[in-house]
Amino acid sequence: MNRVRSIFRKLRITPKVFLLTFLCFESLTLLMAYSFNQHSSDILVRSQMDYARQAVQKSNRYLDSNLQNIRTTVSSIVNDSRLRSGDYKQLGTWMSVNLLYLMPNLSNIHLISKVDVLASSSSHSWELFDDPIIQHLLGSPVSEPSWIGPYHSRVSGYTLTYVSPVNLMNGEVGFLLADISLERLYYTLFPDETLDVAENLIILDNAQNPVIGKAPYVQYDYVGKEYHLSGFNKDILRSSWGQLEVENPSGKDKLILTRGYNTMIQWQLVMVMNKSELLRPLQQSVSYSLQLTFIAFLLSLGLSLLIAMRFSSPIKKMTKYIQKVGEGQLDTQIAITSEDEIGYLGMQFNLMTKKVAQLLADLKYSEEQKKLSDFRALHAQIKPHFLYNTLNTISMLGRRSEMEKMDHLISALSNQLHYALDISPEPVKVKEELAATENYMELMKFRYPNQCEFELDIDPLSLEYRLPKFILQPLIENAIFHGIVPKKTGGHVYIATMVDDDYLEIVIEDDGVGMDAPTLQELRNKLHQSGTVFQKREHIGMLNVHERFQLMFGEAYSFTIDSQPHLGTKIWIKLPKERMDDDETASFD
């Protein structure tokens, strides 16, 4: 506050007078607008409260009129000659054809005995005796006309029923039932002019439970088939009042409640009006008046705004450039049009973006070099492991003097080494990888004669896709040495490829010794441990392949392994096709 006073003291007389005059004028204008709004609001609320009282009284009179008409109609039917003569069929025909036109809120009329429906205006009257309310009526002594309900009738829906006992021809006591459609009755209680008023009518029984109403103050429970109050506290209804204003439980606005009593069936009619909704037209008018008031304000400040925009425009432009840099457009440069402080700031901004772009380029190059180095290290890691196993096989053949087999084996090894020792990290086609894998399988057949059988099911569509080099052989090697060989009785290794819309899928399955659940879980955990998977020699080939897939495809591929003891092990590999096309193959050069 002291700083504001200090700045104000330093101003010249012209801006001081301008500010004081402007503030006084605007304060007076706003005070007048506020007073007008309050006065108009009070008048509008009072008129709407008077209207609500009249509307509730009118609805109550209409309800009384309907109920009285129904009682009169039922009384006339009780005294009808057709009922006294036992001509129930003709009476039912008359009720169906004529009666409903006279009573639009009346759903149906039924004449029943203790065991049968004698006449009815409904084609589904046979369902009457399935209603618990009707069953209770038939089991209770009823000597005077009365109202039952509301309840959900199987014949007439949600209804209120007027019951009048009648004497039948055979001397038994029957009942004449007049079902009132509460939904039709509810919507006829509104006067026509209420359609444009923000109001809601709620009908309550003598226990303050809602008979019918609309959201948001009444909610219908479709399970329990009953209505519940939801917009205000039910305790308010227990006190005596005709009209009052209460807080909305949401806390955002107030409600105006107007209540009327129906003496015929001891019901209450409560009209709920949202005060904010009532004042909405007035608020729109006040907003329009305020807009007109501020026109003078805008005109008087026009020149000041023009000058302010002249100085703020370069800052706004600089803000946009900074936002572009924040979005990654590091080649953004500000055009320098002045040599003042703003121009100097723009020049420094240009220098900063150039340095940031250079630093990011250097960082990207370093990451690519690291990725290339990691890939070559992983590629080389598999070779000693492969050579160790293969040369051990050749040594065994030499000791047994099986020279022809050893020559064939050395030829296969030579082809395999020619493929494996190429240090290029570029991905290869599936058909090239399969050719190298067949050489390895040939080596394994020599080492384990009549023990290892191989089955290939290759989708021709998969042959031209690319994948990391030297990845099938380590997985097949694991299947042989950890699955088939320990089994002692030999087994099969199945290799398949499949292509769908989005993925190339590779399956390698053996029927070897398999793994128990703890061992399988330990292997799965290793596959998710970055940087520690090569500390042990067990399953080194599988873990190596997993690391190389991660380098090429990242999180876009999946490696799934499943195994059961004595049943074998199965590996699924899913590779995204869009990362394997010839034109989009990942490169580490």
Side-chain angles (χ1 to χ4, degrees), residues 207-220:
Q208 288 83 41
N209 295 316
V211 174
I212 193 169
K214 294 187 299 183
Y217 308 113
V218 173
Q219 300 293 337
Y220 183 67

Side-chain angles (χ1 to χ4, degrees), residues 71 76 220 232 325 375 382 398 417 419 448 464 484 553 588:
R71 291 203 305 187
S76 66
Y220 183 67
F232 52 87
V325 172
F375 185 86
I382 201 66
L417 290 178
Y419 176 78
Y448 299 104
E464 296 300 318
I484 304 302
F553 297 100
F588 298 92

Side-chain angles (χ1 to χ4, degrees), residues 89-103:
K89 183 177 180 181
Q90 184 179 359
L91 180 64
T93 302
W94 179 83
M95 289 190 299
S96 300
V97 174
N98 300 309
L99 190 59
L100 295 181
Y101 292 102
L102 302 176
M103 298 296 296

Side-chain angles (χ1 to χ4, degrees), residues 360-376:
L360 290 178
D362 294 343
L363 179 62
K364 183 179 180 181
Y365 178 76
S366 299
E367 289 296 326
E368 289 178 350
Q369 291 300 312
K370 182 179 180 298
K371 191 175 182 181
L372 174 61
S373 176
D374 290 344
F375 185 86
R376 284 176 173 169

Side-chain angles (χ1 to χ4, degrees), residues 512-518 520 563-569:
V513 296
M515 290 178 280
D516 56 22
L520 177 61
S563 183
Q564 295 185 28
H566 311 297
L567 295 180
T569 302

Side-chain angles (χ1 to χ4, degrees), residues 8 14-28:
F8 187 78
T14 302
K16 285 183 179 180
V17 173
F18 167 76
L19 288 175
L20 289 173
T21 305
F22 174 76
L23 290 175
C24 291
F25 174 76
E26 289 300 319
S27 298
L28 181 61

